[in-house]
């Protein structure tokens, strides 16, 4: 092999090595993600109890037989295929309960999608039954676009196809509903048929 050919090969190898050296950046995150499975859950747990806090105070406790975490997904979420039991504590330290046969919690938005036999019972015994319920933990709001039944402690009720409400049902909007509500008259009201 001629001296010129050796020189050309040496320069070519040097050029390739330099190109490879400068093209290698900090790709450790991409390499780590590549090495991990992303077609299934990144973690699973059985018999799990999760506590959610706000400013050091426990605001909710979630119990589930099985949690599957998809933390590597583009929109990370936790799946509860065997259902959940959630106890959340309101600002007055009163406990409210939600159960469902299936749930998903979207980690970035703190939105929980509860499905199948959803039951919510508030501290004053108001009961909501629905096939699906979304719970916005951050804004303390619940809503659904599915049929529901809402029963109040005084035997009032509201059945409809959609509602949007605060967790305590004090701000409540519903659509296509039937309801029966009881209104108490105040003791100081003047009867309409009295003679003055």
């Amino acid at each position: 092999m001629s001296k010129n050919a050796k020189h050309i090969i040496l320069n070519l190898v040097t050029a390739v090595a330099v190109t490879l050296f400068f093209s290698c950046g900090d790709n450790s995150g991409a390499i780590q993600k590549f090495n991990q499975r992303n077609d299934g859950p990144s973690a699973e747990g059985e018999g799990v109890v999760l506590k959610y806090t706000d400013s050091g105070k426990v605001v909710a406790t979630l119990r589930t037989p099985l949690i599957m975490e998809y933390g590597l997904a583009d929109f990370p979420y936790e799946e509860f295929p065997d259902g959940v039991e959630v106890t959340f504590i309101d600002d007055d330290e009163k406990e409210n309960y939600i159960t469902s046969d299936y749930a998903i919690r979207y980690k970035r938005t703190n939105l929980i999608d509860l499905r199948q036999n959803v039951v919510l019972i508030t501290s004053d015994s108001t009961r909501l039954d629905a096939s699906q319920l979304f719970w916005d933990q951050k804004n303390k709001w619940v809503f659904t676009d599915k049929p529901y039944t809402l029963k109040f402690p005084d035997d009032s009720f509201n059945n409809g196809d959609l509602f949007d409400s605060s967790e305590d049902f004090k701000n409540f909007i519903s659509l296509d509903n039937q309801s029966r509500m009881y209104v108490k008259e105040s003791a100081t009201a003047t009867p309409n048929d009295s003679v003055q």
Side-chain angles (χ1 to χ4, degrees):
M1 189 183 279
S2 73
K3 188 175 180 182
N4 195 20
K6 286 181 183 176
H7 186 64
I8 291 173
I9 292 173
L10 180 62
N11 285 339
L12 189 60
V13 168
T14 303
V16 169
V18 168
T19 302
L20 288 174
F21 177 75
F22 285 114
S23 68
C24 292
D26 183 15
N27 294 329
S28 60
I31 292 169
Q32 182 181 13
K33 191 169 184 178
F34 179 76
N35 288 333
Q36 293 178 342
R37 287 180 51 199
N38 61 2
D39 61 339
S42 55
E44 291 184 26
E46 294 181 354
V48 175
V49 176
L50 298 173
K51 295 194 182 276
Y52 298 96
T53 59
D54 183 10
S55 304
K57 174 184 162 188
V58 175
V59 293
T61 302
L62 183 144
R63 299 176 194 284
T64 184
L66 177 63
I67 181 174
M68 298 167 63
E69 182 168 340
Y70 294 84
L72 300 176
D74 291 335
F75 196 72
Y77 64 95
E78 296 166 334
E79 182 180 22
F80 307 91
D82 296 336
V84 292
E85 295 177 8
V86 182
T87 302
F88 61 95
I89 302 163
D90 63 21
D91 294 335
D92 297 327
E93 301 293 323
K94 295 180 180 174
E95 293 184 349
N96 305 279
Y97 305 95
I98 299 177
T99 60
S100 71
D101 293 345
Y102 177 86
I104 293 178
R105 177 179 172 263
Y106 298 99
K107 297 176 97 176
R108 288 186 188 158
T109 59
N110 278 331
L111 183 71
I112 297 180
D113 177 0
L114 301 141
R115 301 180 194 169
Q116 303 166 5
N117 299 314
V118 180
V119 177
L120 182 148
I121 301 174
T122 65
S123 59
D124 71 350
S125 300
T126 299
R127 178 183 171 119
L128 169 77
D129 291 271
S131 60
Q132 185 174 23
L133 180 70
F134 293 96
W135 175 27
D136 181 345
Q137 292 177 279
K138 182 179 178 184
N139 296 311
K140 298 183 178 182
W141 207 257
V142 292
F143 57 95
T144 187
D145 60 354
K146 305 285 185 199
Y148 68 90
T149 300
L150 186 60
K151 295 179 183 174
F152 296 96
D154 65 355
D155 288 331
S156 298
F157 70 88
N158 184 290
N159 299 328
D161 291 332
L162 170 148
F163 82 85
D164 197 6
S165 174
S166 58
E167 284 179 358
D168 59 7
F169 295 102
K170 293 195 174 157
N171 297 313
F172 186 85
I173 299 169
S174 62
L175 180 69
D176 293 335
N177 61 26
Q178 297 177 340
S179 65
R180 175 179 62 210
M181 297 290 169
Y182 296 104
V183 179
K184 292 181 182 177
E185 287 189 41
S186 95
T188 59
T190 306
N192 291 337
D193 60 353
S194 66
V195 178
Q196 299 275 334

